[in-house]
Amino acid sequence: MFGALSSKMRDAEKIVFVTGAGISQESGISTFRGKDGLWRKYDAMQLATIDAFYENPKLVWEWYEERRKNIMSAKPNAGHDAIAKIEKFRPTRVLTQNIDGLHQRAGSTQVYELHGSIIRIKCTVCDFKETATSGFSDLPPLCRCKNILRPDVVWFGEALPQDVWTGAIQEASSCDLMVVVGTSLAVSPANLLPVYAKQGGALLVEVNPEETPMSKAMDLSLRSSAANALPQMLEIFQ
Ligand code: BJW
Ligand code: ZN
């Protein structure tokens, strides 16, 4: 599967994975784009905005509650597991756009959550923030300060958490091998991470059944699913 590249990959001292919705697809979690990205009759892209939230907080909360239930009952797949195992052999970082926590549940310890987490909620007004694994009886849930609570995720038009983003750029710029898995690379600024890696001289490998805007810049593009390709990649480092 990796051909002549496997020895160069084996030489990598530091590995960075950039992951997106596609890595969790085989755990039964929908991706965003394409037909998969429709919930009821709504386009996921239209729901993931601060404007949509303030226009109809109940609707957006219903979307998140349904996804949260699905995520809680989902399990990491062979792709998440392989990344967690690679950490036993090489310093490994995971820069994920996913909010599902599946990398951590698989055992990865160095995970940068670029777009936040569905497992946390925060107040739209005060500093209140907490972990919330159970459902809410009334939607939208309210804070003690009487304002609306929201999922602690990053919507379009919002900045990524500053410290997470700064750390992610540092990791991307200083790795020897970047593996980009299951992301359409349609969303900025996360789609710049492979550019930082390339500028830093890293080897670039992509795992995606479909072509992406960065495919031509990759040293290797594997047209494969994450759960199929990543366990084979693990064998290189074992
Ligand atoms: C498999 C597979 C298998 C399938 N194995 N692979 C014009 C107007 C307004 C804004 C902008 C604009 N132009 C650019 C912007 C900026 C905007 C943006 O990028 N928009 C584009 C859509 C054009 N970005 C932002 O707004 C970001 N913030 C920002 O820029 O801030 C600037 C700022 C500075 C200072 C002050 C204020 C602001 C924020 C972006 C936040 C994105 N949020 C979401 C929702 C998160 C919460 C939630 O999950 O609900 O993040 S949107 C959604 O897209 C989610 C994802 O993390 C993200 C990326 O999607 P991803 O992961 O790539 O999934 P898909 O579905 O696109 O792709 C799946 C891939 O997997 C496919 O390629 C499949 O082929 C593959 N696949 N099965 C492997 N089994
Ligand atoms: Zn509050």
Side-chain angles (χ1 to χ4, degrees):
M1 182 174 241
F2 301 94
L5 213 67
S6 37
S7 71
K8 277 193 188 168
M9 289 173 70
R10 191 173 297 120
D11 287 344
E13 275 168 28
K14 188 179 146 188
I15 307 175
V16 164
F17 287 88
V18 171
T19 66
I23 195 172
S24 296
Q25 188 261 339
E26 287 155 292
S27 292
I29 299 172
S30 297
T31 61
F32 288 90
R33 291 167 185 82
K35 60 172 173 16
D36 225 19
L38 283 181
W39 174 75
R40 298 192 196 159
K41 61 186 169 34
Y42 301 96
D43 179 348
M45 290 306 93
Q46 312 277 301
L47 291 169
T49 71
I50 187 74
D51 289 348
F53 181 68
Y54 280 118
E55 225 165 81
N56 197 340
K58 191 170 173 357
L59 175 77
V60 174
W61 258 110
E62 280 170 1
W63 182 47
Y64 277 94
E65 283 297 89
E66 207 167 295
R67 289 173 64 203
R68 189 213 297 267
K69 265 192 220 124
N70 186 28
I71 285 167
M72 290 302 179
S73 60
K75 290 190 180 63
N77 64 55
H80 300 101
D81 290 344
I83 294 177
K85 285 189 185 128
I86 288 173
E87 191 182 314
K88 311 263 181 262
F89 302 99
R90 297 284 187 289
T92 301
R93 308 284 183 264
V94 181
L95 317 181
T96 189
Q97 296 169 79
N98 299 343
I99 60 166
D100 57 29
L102 289 183
H103 284 298
Q104 293 92 326
R105 281 170 54 195
S108 287
T109 65
Q110 307 283 327
V111 183
Y112 292 68
E113 293 183 313
L114 302 166
H115 293 162
S117 168
I118 202 166
I119 294 146
R120 290 191 305 267
I121 51 165
K122 64 180 183 183
C123 181
T124 48
V125 175
C126 77
D127 288 338
F128 177 79
K129 199 181 253 202
E130 94 177 350
T131 302
T133 44
S134 59
F136 299 96
S137 44
D138 284 319
L139 295 178
L142 297 182
C143 181
R144 265 171 261 153
C145 79
K146 307 258 190 298
N147 289 293
I148 301 178
L149 291 167
R150 56 168 283 180
D152 187 13
V153 300
V154 181
W155 284 320
F156 286 117
E158 297 185 313
L160 275 54
Q162 183 69 52
D163 50 338
V164 177
W165 178 240
T166 309
I169 294 175
Q170 277 165 3
E171 301 293 0
S173 307
S174 62
C175 68
D176 305 303
L177 167 63
M178 176 176 278
V179 187
V180 183
V181 189
T183 170
S184 61
L185 294 174
V187 174
S188 62
N191 62 0
L192 295 175
L193 293 168
V195 178
Y196 284 110
K198 186 116 189 144
Q199 282 168 355
L203 209 59
L204 283 185
V205 176
E206 173 176 73
V207 178
N208 197 315
E210 308 283 338
E211 197 174 329
T212 74
M214 285 291 285
S215 291
K216 291 195 172 57
M218 296 285 158
D219 293 285
L220 180 66
S221 272
L222 294 170
R223 296 278 161 261
S224 166
S225 84
N228 176 48
L230 294 176
Q232 297 187 56
M233 191 177 292
L234 167 63
E235 289 175 15
I236 295 178
F237 303 105
Q238 273 173 330

Coordinates of all heavy atoms in Angstrom, one line a residue, residues 19-23 25-26 31-33 45 48 63-64 67 97-99 115 153-160 181-189 191 207-212 224-227, ligand 1:
T19 N -7.2 15.2 11.3 CA -8.4 14.3 11.0 C -9.7 15.2 10.9 O -9.8 16.3 11.4 CB -8.6 13.2 12.1 OG1 -8.9 13.9 13.3 CG2 -7.4 12.4 12.3
G20 N -10.6 14.6 10.1 CA -11.9 15.2 9.9 C -13.0 14.1 10.0 O -12.7 13.0 10.4
A21 N -14.2 14.6 9.7 CA -15.4 13.7 9.9 C -15.3 12.3 9.3 O -15.9 11.4 9.8 CB -16.6 14.4 9.3
G22 N -14.5 12.2 8.2 CA -14.4 10.9 7.5 C -13.8 9.8 8.4 O -14.1 8.6 8.2
I23 N -13.0 10.2 9.4 CA -12.4 9.1 10.2 C -13.4 8.5 11.1 O -13.3 7.3 11.5 CB -11.1 9.6 11.0 CG1 -10.4 8.4 11.5 CG2 -11.5 10.5 12.1 CD1 -9.1 8.7 12.2
Q25 N -16.6 8.2 10.2 CA -17.7 7.7 9.4 C -17.9 6.2 9.6 O -19.1 5.7 9.7 CB -17.4 8.0 7.9 CG -18.5 7.7 6.9 CD -18.3 6.3 6.2 OE1 -17.3 5.7 6.2 NE2 -19.4 5.8 5.7
E26 N -16.8 5.4 9.8 CA -17.0 4.0 10.0 C -17.3 3.7 11.5 O -17.5 2.5 11.8 CB -15.7 3.3 9.6 CG -15.6 3.2 8.0 CD -14.2 3.1 7.5 OE1 -13.4 4.1 7.7 OE2 -13.8 2.1 7.0
T31 N -20.8 12.4 8.1 CA -19.9 13.5 7.7 C -20.7 14.8 7.4 O -22.0 14.7 7.5 CB -19.0 13.1 6.5 OG1 -19.9 12.9 5.4 CG2 -18.2 11.9 6.7
F32 N -20.1 15.8 7.0 CA -20.8 17.1 6.8 C -21.3 17.3 5.4 O -22.4 17.8 5.1 CB -20.0 18.3 7.2 CG -19.8 18.4 8.7 CD1 -18.8 17.7 9.3 CD2 -20.7 19.0 9.5 CE1 -18.7 17.7 10.7 CE2 -20.7 19.0 10.8 CZ -19.6 18.4 11.5
R33 N -20.4 17.0 4.4 CA -20.7 17.4 3.1 C -21.2 16.2 2.3 O -21.0 15.1 2.7 CB -19.4 18.0 2.4 CG -19.2 19.4 3.1 CD -17.9 20.1 2.8 NE -17.9 21.3 3.6 CZ -17.6 21.4 4.9 NH1 -17.2 20.3 5.5 NH2 -17.7 22.5 5.6
M45 N -24.3 22.5 6.9 CA -23.5 23.7 6.8 C -24.3 24.9 7.2 O -23.7 25.9 7.6 CB -23.0 23.9 5.3 CG -21.9 22.9 4.9 SD -20.6 23.0 6.1 CE -21.0 21.7 7.2
A48 N -24.5 24.9 11.2 CA -23.3 25.2 12.0 C -22.9 26.6 12.0 O -21.7 26.9 11.7 CB -22.2 24.3 11.5
W63 N -30.5 19.3 16.8 CA -29.5 18.7 16.0 C -28.3 18.2 16.9 O -27.9 17.0 16.7 CB -29.0 19.7 15.0 CG -28.0 19.2 14.0 CD1 -28.0 18.0 13.3 CD2 -26.8 19.9 13.6 NE1 -26.9 18.0 12.5 CE2 -26.1 19.1 12.6 CE3 -26.2 21.1 13.9 CZ2 -24.9 19.4 12.0 CZ3 -25.0 21.5 13.3 CH2 -24.4 20.6 12.4
Y64 N -27.9 19.0 17.8 CA -26.7 18.6 18.6 C -27.1 17.5 19.6 O -26.3 16.6 19.9 CB -26.1 19.9 19.4 CG -25.2 20.6 18.4 CD1 -25.6 21.7 17.7 CD2 -23.9 20.1 18.3 CE1 -24.7 22.3 16.8 CE2 -23.0 20.8 17.4 CZ -23.4 21.8 16.7 OH -22.6 22.4 15.8
R67 N -27.1 14.3 17.7 CA -25.7 13.9 17.4 C -25.0 13.4 18.6 O -24.2 12.5 18.6 CB -25.0 15.1 16.7 CG -25.5 15.4 15.3 CD -24.8 16.6 14.8 NE -23.4 16.5 14.6 CZ -22.6 17.6 14.6 NH1 -23.1 18.8 14.7 NH2 -21.3 17.4 14.5
Q97 N -10.5 18.1 13.6 CA -11.7 19.0 13.5 C -12.9 18.4 14.1 O -13.9 19.1 14.2 CB -11.9 19.3 12.0 CG -10.8 20.0 11.3 CD -10.9 19.9 9.8 OE1 -11.7 20.7 9.2 NE2 -10.3 19.0 9.1
N98 N -12.8 17.2 14.5 CA -14.0 16.5 15.1 C -14.3 16.9 16.5 O -13.3 17.2 17.3 CB -13.8 15.0 15.0 CG -13.7 14.5 13.6 OD1 -14.0 15.3 12.6 ND2 -13.2 13.3 13.4
I99 N -15.5 16.8 16.9 CA -16.0 17.2 18.2 C -16.4 16.0 19.0 O -17.0 16.2 20.1 CB -17.1 18.3 18.1 CG1 -18.3 17.6 17.4 CG2 -16.7 19.5 17.4 CD1 -19.6 18.4 17.5
H115 N -12.1 22.4 16.7 CA -13.5 22.9 16.6 C -14.3 22.6 17.9 O -15.5 22.6 17.9 CB -14.2 22.3 15.4 CG -13.6 22.8 14.1 ND1 -13.8 22.2 12.9 CD2 -12.8 23.9 13.8 CE1 -13.2 22.9 11.9 NE2 -12.6 23.9 12.5
V153 N -18.6 24.4 20.8 CA -18.0 24.0 19.5 C -17.8 25.3 18.7 O -18.2 26.4 19.1 CB -19.0 23.1 18.7 CG1 -19.2 21.8 19.4 CG2 -20.3 23.8 18.3
V154 N -17.0 25.2 17.6 CA -16.7 26.4 16.8 C -17.6 26.5 15.6 O -17.5 25.5 14.8 CB -15.2 26.5 16.4 CG1 -14.9 27.7 15.6 CG2 -14.3 26.4 17.7
W155 N -18.4 27.5 15.5 CA -19.2 27.6 14.3 C -18.6 28.6 13.3 O -17.6 29.3 13.6 CB -20.6 28.2 14.7 CG -21.5 27.2 15.4 CD1 -21.6 25.9 15.0 CD2 -22.3 27.4 16.5 NE1 -22.5 25.2 15.9 CE2 -23.0 26.1 16.8 CE3 -22.6 28.5 17.3 CZ2 -23.9 26.0 17.8 CZ3 -23.6 28.3 18.4 CH2 -24.2 27.0 18.6
F156 N -19.1 28.6 12.0 CA -18.6 29.4 11.0 C -18.6 30.9 11.5 O -19.6 31.3 12.1 CB -19.4 29.3 9.7 CG -19.1 28.0 9.0 CD1 -20.1 27.1 8.8 CD2 -17.8 27.8 8.5 CE1 -19.8 25.9 8.1 CE2 -17.5 26.6 7.9 CZ -18.5 25.6 7.7
G157 N -17.6 31.6 11.2 CA -17.5 33.0 11.6 C -16.9 33.2 12.9 O -16.6 34.3 13.4
E158 N -16.7 32.1 13.7 CA -16.1 32.2 15.0 C -14.6 31.8 14.9 O -14.2 30.9 14.1 CB -16.8 31.3 16.0 CG -18.3 31.6 16.2 CD -19.0 30.8 17.2 OE1 -18.8 29.6 17.2 OE2 -19.7 31.4 18.1
A159 N -13.8 32.4 15.8 CA -12.4 32.1 15.9 C -12.2 30.7 16.5 O -12.9 30.3 17.4 CB -11.6 33.1 16.6
L160 N -11.1 30.0 16.1 CA -10.7 28.8 16.8 C -10.1 29.1 18.2 O -9.6 30.3 18.3 CB -9.7 28.0 16.0 CG -10.3 27.0 14.9 CD1 -11.2 27.7 13.9 CD2 -9.1 26.4 14.2
V181 N -6.4 12.7 7.3 CA -7.4 11.6 7.2 C -8.8 12.1 7.2 O -9.2 12.8 8.2 CB -7.2 10.6 8.4 CG1 -8.1 9.4 8.1 CG2 -5.8 10.2 8.6
G182 N -9.6 11.8 6.2 CA -11.1 12.0 6.3 C -11.5 13.4 6.4 O -12.5 13.7 7.1
T183 N -10.8 14.3 5.7 CA -11.3 15.7 5.7 C -11.3 16.2 4.3 O -10.4 15.9 3.5 CB -10.5 16.6 6.6 OG1 -10.9 18.0 6.4 CG2 -9.0 16.5 6.4
S184 N -12.4 17.0 4.0 CA -12.5 17.5 2.6 C -11.6 18.7 2.4 O -11.4 19.2 1.3 CB -14.0 18.0 2.4 OG -14.3 19.0 3.3
L185 N -11.0 19.2 3.5 CA -10.1 20.4 3.5 C -10.8 21.6 2.9 O -10.2 22.4 2.2 CB -8.8 20.1 2.8 CG -7.9 19.1 3.5 CD1 -6.7 18.7 2.6 CD2 -7.4 19.6 4.8
A186 N -12.2 21.6 3.1 CA -13.0 22.7 2.6 C -13.0 23.9 3.6 O -13.5 25.0 3.2 CB -14.4 22.2 2.3
V187 N -12.7 23.6 4.8 CA -12.9 24.7 5.9 C -11.6 25.2 6.4 O -10.7 24.5 6.7 CB -13.7 24.0 7.0 CG1 -13.8 25.0 8.2 CG2 -15.1 23.6 6.6
S188 N -11.5 26.5 6.4 CA -10.3 27.2 6.9 C -10.6 27.6 8.4 O -11.7 27.7 8.7 CB -10.0 28.4 6.1 OG -11.0 29.4 6.1
P189 N -9.6 27.8 9.2 CA -8.1 27.7 8.8 C -7.6 26.3 9.0 O -6.4 26.1 8.6 CB -7.5 28.7 9.9 CG -8.4 28.5 11.1 CD -9.8 28.3 10.6
N191 N -7.7 23.9 7.1 CA -7.1 23.3 5.8 C -5.7 23.9 5.5 O -5.1 23.5 4.5 CB -8.1 23.6 4.7 CG -8.4 25.0 4.4 OD1 -7.9 25.9 5.1 ND2 -9.3 25.3 3.5
V207 N -5.3 10.1 3.5 CA -6.2 8.9 3.4 C -7.6 9.4 3.2 O -8.2 10.0 4.1 CB -6.1 8.1 4.8 CG1 -7.1 6.9 4.7 CG2 -4.7 7.6 5.0
N208 N -8.1 9.2 2.0 CA -9.5 9.7 1.7 C -10.0 9.0 0.5 O -9.3 8.9 -0.5 CB -9.4 11.2 1.5 CG -10.8 11.9 1.5 OD1 -11.7 11.4 1.0 ND2 -10.9 13.0 2.2
P209 N -11.2 8.4 0.5 CA -11.7 7.8 -0.7 C -11.9 8.7 -1.9 O -11.9 8.3 -3.0 CB -13.1 7.2 -0.3 CG -13.1 7.3 1.2 CD -12.1 8.3 1.6
E210 N -12.0 10.0 -1.6 CA -12.2 11.0 -2.6 C -11.0 12.0 -2.7 O -10.2 12.1 -1.8 CB -13.4 11.9 -2.3 CG -14.7 11.2 -1.9 CD -15.4 10.6 -3.2 OE1 -15.1 11.2 -4.3 OE2 -16.1 9.7 -3.0
E211 N -10.8 12.6 -3.9 CA -9.8 13.6 -4.1 C -10.1 14.8 -3.2 O -11.3 15.1 -3.0 CB -9.7 14.0 -5.6 CG -8.5 14.7 -6.0 CD -8.4 14.9 -7.5 OE1 -8.9 14.1 -8.2 OE2 -7.8 15.9 -7.8
T212 N -9.1 15.5 -2.8 CA -9.3 16.8 -2.1 C -8.4 17.9 -2.8 O -7.6 17.6 -3.6 CB -8.8 16.7 -0.6 OG1 -7.4 16.7 -0.6 CG2 -9.3 15.4 0.1
S224 N -8.6 5.3 0.1 CA -9.0 4.2 0.9 C -9.8 4.7 2.2 O -9.7 5.9 2.5 CB -7.8 3.4 1.4 OG -8.1 2.6 2.5
S225 N -10.5 3.9 2.8 CA -11.2 4.3 4.1 C -10.1 4.3 5.2 O -9.1 3.6 5.2 CB -12.3 3.4 4.4 OG -11.9 2.3 5.1
A226 N -10.4 5.1 6.3 CA -9.5 5.2 7.4 C -9.3 3.9 8.1 O -8.2 3.5 8.5 CB -10.0 6.3 8.4
A227 N -10.4 3.2 8.3 CA -10.3 1.9 9.1 C -9.6 0.8 8.3 O -9.1 -0.1 8.9 CB -11.7 1.4 9.5
Ligands
BJW1 C1 -13.6 9.3 4.5 C2 -14.4 8.2 4.9 C3 -13.8 7.2 5.5 C4 -15.7 9.7 4.1 N1 -12.4 7.2 5.6 N2 -12.3 9.3 4.7 C5 -16.9 33.1 3.3 C6 -17.9 33.5 4.2 C7 -17.8 33.3 5.6 C8 -16.8 32.6 6.1 C9 -15.8 32.2 5.3 C10 -15.8 32.4 3.9 N3 -14.7 31.9 3.3 C11 -14.0 31.3 4.3 C12 -14.6 31.5 5.5 C13 -14.1 30.9 6.8 C14 -14.9 29.7 7.2 C15 -14.8 28.7 6.1 O1 -13.8 28.0 5.9 N4 -15.8 28.5 5.3 C16 -15.8 27.6 4.1 C17 -17.0 26.6 4.2 C18 -15.8 28.4 2.9 N5 -14.2 29.3 8.4 C19 -14.6 29.7 9.6 O2 -15.6 30.5 9.7 C20 -13.8 29.3 10.8 N6 -13.4 30.4 11.6 C21 -12.7 31.4 11.0 O3 -12.2 31.4 9.9 O4 -12.5 32.4 11.9 C22 -11.9 33.6 11.4 C23 -12.1 34.6 12.5 C24 -11.0 35.3 12.9 C25 -11.1 36.3 13.9 C26 -12.4 36.5 14.5 C27 -13.5 35.8 14.0 C28 -13.3 34.8 13.0 C29 -14.5 28.4 11.7 C30 -14.9 27.1 11.1 C31 -15.7 26.2 12.0 C32 -16.2 25.0 11.3 N7 -17.2 24.4 12.2 C33 -17.8 23.1 11.8 C34 -18.9 22.7 12.9 C35 -18.2 22.3 14.2 C36 -19.2 21.8 15.2 C37 -19.9 20.6 14.8 O5 -19.3 19.5 14.5 O6 -21.1 20.7 14.8 O7 -16.8 22.1 11.8 S1 -18.4 23.0 10.2 C38 -17.9 21.4 9.8 O8 -16.8 21.4 8.8 C39 -17.2 20.9 11.1 C40 -16.0 20.2 10.5 O9 -15.0 20.0 11.6 C41 -15.6 21.0 9.4 C42 -14.7 20.3 8.4 O10 -15.4 19.2 7.8 P1 -14.6 17.8 7.5 O11 -14.2 17.2 8.8 O12 -13.6 18.1 6.5 O13 -15.9 16.9 6.9 P2 -16.4 16.8 5.4 O14 -17.8 16.2 5.6 O15 -16.3 18.1 4.7 O16 -15.5 15.8 4.7 C43 -15.4 14.4 5.0 C44 -14.3 13.8 4.2 O17 -14.1 12.5 4.6 C45 -14.6 13.7 2.7 O18 -13.5 14.2 2.0 C46 -14.9 12.3 2.4 O19 -14.4 11.9 1.1 C47 -14.0 11.6 3.5 N8 -14.5 10.3 3.9 N9 -15.7 8.6 4.5 C48 -11.8 8.3 5.2 N10 -14.5 6.1 5.8

